[in-house]
Amino acid sequence: MDPLSTLWETFFDWDSMREALPEMLTVGLPNTLILAVSAALLGSVLGMLLAVAGISRTRWLRWPARVYTDVFRGLPAAATILLIGVGLAPLGMQVWGPNPYPLGVLALSLIAAAYIGEIFRAGIQSVEAAQLEGARALGFSWGEAMRLVIVPQGVRRVLPAWVNQLIALIKDSSLVYFLGLVASQRELFRIGQDYAATTGNESALLLAGLFYLVLTVPLTHAVNWIDRRLRQGRAVAAPDLDVDLDPAGAPAATGKDPR
């Protein structure tokens, strides 16, 4: 066989793809989305706490937040997942039994919190100091001003960066297979890898990669669209200036507000 035919049969065997497709749709895709979305939500909550602690004037809040961020951003994601999944496995056995899935979500959430915390911190600190001073002048407490005025504006400014982190979580969810998931818990990458190992053909793994592209590419364009809308703002209709002039050149009444 010539090399091109070999490459085609290795990566584009439609029978292998057709065999793996149902399981990827019913098992792999839901599990990948559950891992990514759960980690994004939990990581966002923890990240907001880290962001507020990171800008606090109190050292015992600011320093632990800084150390946490440095550690979980510095460690490889695979190492963090293995450390948590294996190290906390005895505790997990006592709480929910032999199911590594919650530990996988926990590991991804802790990783995401370090990045999302920095995203939120940058957004909060980008809000002008006059906003906080104005809120305090209106009678808001510091906590109320942060919760009702500063944090909403900061989160809105970094929304595209938050979506980028969701894209990263979708891809990082493939590393949870290190924890030894059962058949019903496998995500897209694990299913593709299993079919590739069984058939000796990489087509199923390529199909898993296509699923990741289908999930991440639209999100990437959504990020660009959101960022563009936030920068440009909404279009405002021009005021109606339909004013007739009388022969003397003065505005004549037309029944419309000339403003």
Side-chain angles (χ1 to χ4, degrees):
M1 297 178 63
D2 61 275
L4 289 178
S5 298
T6 302
L7 287 174
W8 182 265
E9 292 187 4
T10 300
F11 293 101
F12 298 97
D13 185 348
W14 306 118
D15 292 333
S16 297
M17 290 185 178
R18 193 179 303 111
E19 183 181 356
L21 181 60
E23 193 168 4
M24 286 191 178
L25 286 173
T26 58
V27 178
L29 182 60
N31 284 331
T32 295
L33 292 176
I34 289 173
L35 284 169
V37 174
S38 300
L41 294 177
L42 183 56
S44 296
V45 174
L46 296 176
M48 181 57 69
L49 296 177
L50 286 173
V52 175
I55 62 176
S56 173
R57 297 179 179 178
T58 306
R59 292 182 178 180
W60 64 270
L61 286 176
R62 188 174 66 252
W63 288 3
R66 185 72 264 171
V67 171
Y68 177 97
T69 301
D70 290 342
V71 169
F72 280 93
R73 290 179 68 185
L75 287 174
T80 302
I81 291 172
L82 282 174
L83 286 172
I84 294 176
V86 177
L88 298 182
L91 179 62
M93 288 284 292
Q94 299 176 6
V95 177
W96 51 69
N99 181 4
Y101 213 73
L103 291 177
V105 173
L106 176 62
L108 289 174
S109 301
L110 294 178
I111 296 169
Y115 290 93
I116 294 176
E118 285 297 282
I119 291 171
F120 285 162
R121 183 179 65 84
I124 292 172
Q125 290 183 325
S126 71
V127 179
E128 296 77 6
Q131 297 277 346
L132 180 60
E133 295 171 358
R136 296 300 302 273
L138 291 174
F140 288 92
S141 66
W142 186 88
E144 291 174 338
M146 291 294 293
R147 179 169 53 88
L148 300 175
V149 179
I150 305 301
V151 171
Q153 293 185 68
V155 171
R156 180 177 179 270
R157 294 182 180 186
V158 297
L159 187 58
W162 182 89
V163 179
N164 275 329
Q165 187 58 38
L166 175 59
I167 294 173
L169 283 173
I170 292 174
K171 295 183 290 185
D172 287 345
S173 66
S174 62
L175 300 175
V176 177
Y177 86 95
F178 288 141
L179 303 183
L181 303 176
V182 300
S184 61
Q185 298 170 334
R186 293 178 301 169
E187 31 69 45
L188 289 169
F189 174 77
R190 184 61 180 177
I191 292 176
Q193 187 185 48
D194 286 348
Y195 274 95
T198 302
T199 62
N201 190 283
E202 303 298 324
S203 299
L205 197 56
L206 177 63
L207 180 61
L210 294 176
F211 269 96
Y212 283 109
L213 289 176
V214 168
L215 291 174
T216 57
V217 170
L219 281 176
T220 302
H221 289 285
V223 168
N224 296 333
W225 181 82
I226 292 172
D227 186 53
R228 189 163 55 248
R229 286 296 301 270
L230 291 178
R231 289 178 183 274
Q232 297 177 353
R234 295 182 178 180
V236 179
D240 189 357
L241 300 178
D242 186 12
V243 179
D244 295 332
L245 297 178
D246 62 12
T254 60
K256 298 181 179 179
D257 187 353
R259 294 177 296 173

